[in-house]
Amino acid sequence: MKPLEGIRVLEVAMYGFVPSAGAVLADWGAEVVKVEHAVTGDPQRGLRQVGALKVEGDPNPNVEHANRGKRSIGIDMGTAEGKEVLDALIRTADVFLTSFLPQARTKFGIDVDDVRTVNPKIVYARGSALGPRGVESDKGGYDMTAFWARAGIAATLTPPGVDGMITPPGPAFGDTISGTNLAGGVAAALLKRERTGETSVVDVSLLGSGVWAMGHGIALSAHLDQAMVAPVPGGHGALTNPLSGLYRTSDGRFLSFVMLQAGKYWADVCRHIDRLDLIDDPRFADSKQIAANTEAAVAILREVLGSRTLAEWSEKFATLAGPWAPVQDSLQVSSDAQVLANEYLLKAGELELAANPVQFDVTAPELRAGPEFAAHTDEILTELGFDWERVIAFKIAGAVT
């Protein structure tokens, strides 16, 4: 049995952030019903191009990533008939999940008090750009603004001298992280309700998730009154540790060493790179000497590691004790043996999608393809007890699609 099997989630949300929370809850076994605009659907369905990557036809990964495993119904919440259908869905739900701003929640009658009037025991979960309090709580935003730029991530990653800022590594980067946070909050609220009978309002914002992701660095900066500054690209990185940095291989790829205890791992690295002479070199006799002679050690490692391909080093380093990793792009990740062994990428319909990062009982979730727009309207209305005559009336009125 999946952890959230038997839980029903009603999602009234758009784009990537809050729908990705619904996707995680679906991965965990919840039944998720996605409410979309009766005419246009979720605007995310129109996203076909991200940078140079353009999707022709369906399936569209830009939609599927955050919407796999759900059912879709098209509702015009601005009509009396549409609100009747929505309220019927609310009565059956354990969780109400929304990304709508306060003004829109009031307009459509889906704010906390409105939903709780229909279903007092529902967990109400909302995702926002900037949080539920403060003078900007009613403002919208995207992960590029609230998570990436405002929370300090972009500035901390952007090296000195760069005009502007480093952009996120891919679409919905902050959205997906924040959505996972929101799903975790919902799960905790469901546990509280089970134990105490009390329900909760769960809030997660893009800004709050960004601050949490940058938490270690922000704490250091606040304590020392000093901003973190990104190293110049191409530099080794660690000033006193040759075993914590980036090295180029002969085929133009890179590998990353992160062995924070240089003295502990030095001899093993020397054995793996076939440089036994360096083990007893007095310049590298212990951690103190290694730190003092980091520049010389880096020069040696650059020369040696630059003499073979990444594939060759990956084979040799299979038994290396210290932490290291190949630097991979988004395409190379999809063929990583460790990624595949742990089923971090799974088939969902015709696509391979990233599984949410949580596994229960050493078992990957079962992913299902995302729904076509309003694909389950008739099915859901029937389950709610509306007879076919009423369904037709809803459609004629334009309340559902």
Side-chain angles (χ1 to χ4, degrees):
M1 180 176 178
K2 297 177 181 178
L4 293 185
E5 199 167 309
I7 296 295
R8 191 171 201 188
V9 177
L10 181 60
E11 178 190 297
V12 182
M14 299 180 292
Y15 294 109
F17 168 21
V18 174
S20 70
V24 173
L25 295 171
D27 283 359
W28 292 347
E31 177 197 349
V32 182
V33 175
K34 180 180 181 68
V35 173
E36 302 190 55
H37 188 281
V39 177
T40 60
D42 186 336
Q44 185 79 0
R45 293 186 181 276
L47 181 62
R48 290 283 173 181
Q49 186 157 358
V50 178
L53 303 181
K54 186 174 183 178
V55 178
E56 301 283 0
D58 291 321
N60 181 0
N62 295 306
V63 175
E64 298 279 333
H65 169 72
N67 290 292
R68 73 279 191 99
K70 303 175 185 177
R71 295 194 293 168
S72 170
I73 180 172
I75 301 179
D76 184 348
M77 299 189 302
T79 67
E81 294 89 347
K83 189 63 167 60
E84 180 184 352
V85 173
L86 187 68
D87 284 351
L89 283 166
I90 291 171
R91 289 188 191 97
T92 69
D94 297 284
V95 179
F96 185 86
L97 192 61
T98 188
S99 63
F100 279 41
L101 292 169
Q103 185 176 359
R105 297 199 302 266
T106 299
K107 173 184 175 182
F108 292 113
I110 56 170
D111 217 337
V112 179
D113 290 342
D114 303 309
V115 172
R116 288 270 171 80
T117 297
V118 178
N119 182 348
K121 303 303 293 182
I122 203 166
V123 169
Y124 191 99
R126 55 196 178 192
S128 64
L130 302 171
R133 297 185 297 277
V135 296
E136 297 181 80
S137 61
D138 60 347
K139 290 185 177 180
Y142 294 95
D143 63 338
M144 174 71 89
T145 59
F147 179 93
W148 191 255
R150 191 160 183 173
I153 300 171
T156 305
L157 280 174
T158 303
V162 173
D163 185 18
M165 70 175 186
I166 297 293
T167 56
F173 185 74
D175 286 339
T176 302
I177 294 169
S178 303
T180 307
N181 295 342
L182 185 54
V186 166
L190 287 170
L191 178 61
K192 174 189 172 184
R193 189 184 71 171
E194 180 181 332
R195 287 182 168 179
T196 68
E198 298 176 4
T199 191
S200 304
V201 176
V202 181
D203 277 295
V204 172
S205 72
L206 293 167
L207 178 60
S209 293
V211 170
W212 170 243
M214 275 293 297
H216 190 163
I218 291 171
L220 282 170
S221 291
H223 181 65
L224 301 174
D225 195 25
Q226 179 182 347
M228 298 189 77
V229 178
V232 176
H236 173 68
L239 300 178
T240 59
N241 185 352
L243 299 186
S244 185
L246 199 64
Y247 291 97
R248 183 191 294 270
T249 58
S250 65
D251 54 345
R253 298 282 301 280
F254 290 90
L255 55 84
S256 173
F257 281 172
V258 187
M259 303 176 209
L260 302 183
Q261 298 168 283
K264 176 180 178 179
Y265 295 112
W266 179 256
D268 191 45
V269 170
C270 293
R271 283 189 288 269
H272 278 80
I273 65 173
D274 300 322
R275 287 295 304 270
L276 301 181
D277 58 300
L278 297 175
I279 295 176
D280 296 321
D281 190 315
R283 294 174 299 173
F284 315 122
D286 53 33
S287 295
K288 184 177 180 180
Q289 289 301 314
I290 292 172
N293 292 284
T294 291
E295 186 176 350
V298 168
I300 293 169
L301 290 173
R302 281 178 172 169
E303 181 181 359
V304 175
L305 294 171
S307 67
R308 299 185 184 183
T309 66
L310 180 60
E312 290 174 310
W313 285 124
S314 295
E315 184 176 350
K316 286 188 69 66
F317 290 166
T319 56
L320 187 62
W324 73 279
V327 178
Q328 300 185 146
D329 62 31
S330 56
L331 181 58
Q332 291 157 349
V333 170
S334 64
S335 58
D336 185 302
Q338 195 66 16
V339 169
L340 299 178
N342 285 282
E343 299 181 280
Y344 294 149
L345 289 174
L346 293 169
K347 201 79 172 174
E350 299 177 42
L351 296 174
E352 274 198 332
L353 300 178
N356 82 84
V358 180
Q359 292 188 359
F360 301 94
D361 304 313
V362 201
T363 303
E366 295 179 17
L367 301 193
R368 292 174 289 122
E372 295 181 8
F373 167 52
H376 305 94
T377 297
D378 292 353
E379 175 184 303
I380 292 170
L381 291 175
T382 302
E383 290 175 359
L384 292 172
F386 295 110
D387 59 32
W388 189 241
E389 184 177 337
R390 191 70 174 130
V391 172
I392 296 297
F394 284 143
K395 292 189 174 185
I396 292 173
V400 299
T401 302

